[in-house]
Amino acid sequence: MRLFPRALGCAARAAWRESFPLAGRDVARWFPGHMAKGLKKMQSSLKLVDCVVEVHDARIPLSGRNPVFQEVLGLRPHLLVLNKMDLADLTEQQKIKQHLEREGLENVIFTDCVKDENIDQVIPIVTELIGRSYRYHRGENLEFCLMVIGIPNVGKSSLINSLRRQHLRKGKATRVGGQPGITRAVMSRIQVCERPLMFLLDTPGVLAPRIESVETGLKLALCGTVLDHLVGEETMADYLLFTLNQHQLFRYVQHYGLDGACDDVQHVLKQVAVRLRKTRRVRVLTGSGPVNVVQPNYTAAAGDFLRTFRSGSLGPVMLDRDILQGTSLPGARGFPLPGAEA
């Protein structure tokens, strides 16, 4: 009899790891410098801005945001857009909002910029926030100007294009992509609405100068904020497997046609590689001389595992569930990134 994924997990529950090994991982090597140039350009453009719209990934609503944004751009009205809601498990959405409210974030919406879900809330909220604020030397300007900020690959450009589709019935104004670093400079103003007349500045993704823990770094990596090879595809696949099993999400078993749920990443990746025919020839020296041996390509299998997760094929996931439940994994406090001040 074929077990359902959840039943598979319950059967093997005793074998799950209780914690993920975090020690000895140099998170500082995973992320680029703190991107001071981008921040300076944002600061210099603030005189043109009425409201700041911060975009973040809904799968990590409580971790990975750049705290420097609040310090540098905190004088303007602020809206937090938690994008990619279609990929996130939002069964505890109210608890997420309450947690963010305690951090002083009262204006929060969840969106899916691909399907334009909840995008219609952005302009009304922003208009209200601007109306309640003092516009300084921009008081005589009839049009509004927003600045979109966030860490890499959270959907800033997708939000702009979605707003244009909804309010102007126009196509793409900015490039979008599944990898970090598509937007590299503060761009000229892009119109996103006619009534009220509203323009928007797109900005490059800017990571925090200090990642608070190795676990946070792994969550950010899973969400694609840094190039996979900098962290290591197999390391990320191992953390993903650990997370899926902890959350009892076993859709990966059916997706790859595995024998059952498993907590051994090498065993899982081997099965994935064989199923997808991701192998490589390796020259091995034996007693009778060198021979060519076909081995599973673990890195390629890990890459497919990550892409499948990011596409949503393994189901919605809340990577910050440990924070919501107050059970964050023990880890190092934080590592300065290259170029950051001590």
Side-chain angles (χ1 to χ4, degrees):
M1 184 179 78
R2 185 175 179 83
L3 294 175
F4 289 102
R6 189 170 293 276
L8 283 167
C10 293
R13 181 64 181 166
W16 298 154
R17 289 170 287 180
E18 292 298 323
S19 63
F20 188 80
L22 300 174
R25 302 180 189 273
D26 185 8
V27 70
R29 292 190 303 106
W30 299 349
F31 297 89
H34 65 324
M35 309 174 187
K37 185 177 179 180
L39 272 174
K40 287 180 180 178
K41 284 191 175 182
M42 290 182 204
Q43 283 181 286
S44 66
S45 301
L46 269 183
K47 60 181 179 292
L48 307 172
V49 174
D50 297 301
C51 181
V52 173
V53 178
E54 180 186 353
V55 185
H56 197 57
D57 196 307
R59 291 169 293 183
I60 46 173
L62 309 180
S63 61
R65 292 175 53 239
N66 190 340
V68 178
F69 287 148
Q70 195 67 24
E71 302 168 14
V72 175
L73 308 171
L75 296 177
R76 295 292 187 273
H78 181 221
L79 170 65
L80 176 62
V81 174
L82 293 173
N83 191 35
K84 305 186 182 182
M85 62 179 290
D86 56 312
L87 303 177
D89 179 0
L90 298 179
T91 53
E92 295 187 286
Q93 183 175 146
Q94 198 56 40
K95 188 180 289 187
I96 293 170
K97 286 189 173 182
Q98 291 171 355
H99 196 289
L100 291 169
E101 284 177 4
R102 289 195 293 270
E103 296 181 359
L105 291 164
E106 298 179 358
N107 305 295
V108 180
I109 61 173
F110 292 84
T111 66
D112 174 4
C113 290
V114 175
K115 298 180 180 178
D116 297 340
E117 191 168 352
N118 292 343
I119 296 300
D120 58 345
Q121 298 180 29
V122 175
I123 297 299
I125 292 175
V126 165
T127 303
E128 182 183 353
L129 288 175
I130 295 174
R132 298 202 313 250
S133 68
Y134 183 65
R135 297 183 70 199
Y136 302 97
H137 58 283
R138 287 184 51 77
E140 297 180 358
N141 289 42
L142 298 179
E143 82 272 9
F144 298 146
C145 184
L146 318 179
M147 178 183 285
V148 172
I149 63 173
I151 63 176
N153 202 30
V154 291
K156 298 181 295 298
S157 298
S158 296
L159 174 64
I160 296 174
N161 293 332
S162 181
L163 286 170
R164 284 173 59 83
R165 283 196 301 270
Q166 186 129 114
H167 296 282
L168 298 177
R169 299 295 186 265
K170 293 186 178 180
K172 295 180 180 179
T174 63
R175 291 177 60 201
V176 296
Q179 289 189 334
I182 295 296
T183 304
R184 296 186 177 274
V186 178
M187 298 178 64
S188 58
R189 300 194 312 168
I190 302 168
Q191 185 177 354
V192 292
C193 188
E194 188 70 45
R195 296 181 181 177
L197 184 57
M198 193 170 291
F199 295 86
L200 195 148
L201 293 176
D202 193 11
T203 64
V206 178
L207 287 159
R210 190 180 185 89
I211 303 301
E212 65 183 39
S213 70
V214 178
E215 187 182 9
T216 297
L218 287 166
K219 290 179 183 179
L220 287 166
L222 283 184
C223 292
T225 66
V226 63
L227 296 174
D228 291 347
H229 71 271
L230 297 177
V231 180
E233 289 88 343
E234 292 179 50
T235 295
M236 293 165 60
D238 193 16
Y239 183 70
L240 173 58
L241 181 66
F242 165 79
T243 301
L244 293 174
N245 288 337
Q246 284 289 315
H247 294 189
Q248 298 189 39
L249 301 173
F250 306 111
R251 196 178 295 185
Y252 70 89
V253 176
Q254 288 183 328
H255 180 84
Y256 286 112
L258 305 183
D259 296 336
C262 177
D263 211 25
D264 182 347
V265 71
Q266 292 296 314
H267 180 70
V268 170
L269 293 182
K270 182 177 182 179
Q271 291 188 71
V272 171
V274 171
R275 182 174 181 80
L276 300 180
R277 297 181 180 179
K278 293 184 179 294
T279 58
R280 58 185 177 183
R281 291 184 177 276
V282 179
R283 197 170 180 80
V284 177
L285 187 63
T286 67
S288 58
V291 295
N292 290 325
V293 179
V294 177
Q295 292 184 346
N297 190 332
Y298 291 98
T299 301
D304 190 88
F305 192 29
L306 294 172
R307 286 189 295 272
T308 302
F309 160 72
R310 290 168 181 160
S311 71
S313 298
L314 302 183
V317 179
M318 173 50 59
L319 294 175
D320 276 344
R321 196 180 73 166
D322 55 332
I323 300 177
L324 287 170
Q325 296 178 344
T327 58
S328 184
L329 294 175
R333 290 189 47 157
F335 298 84
L337 300 184
E341 295 180 4

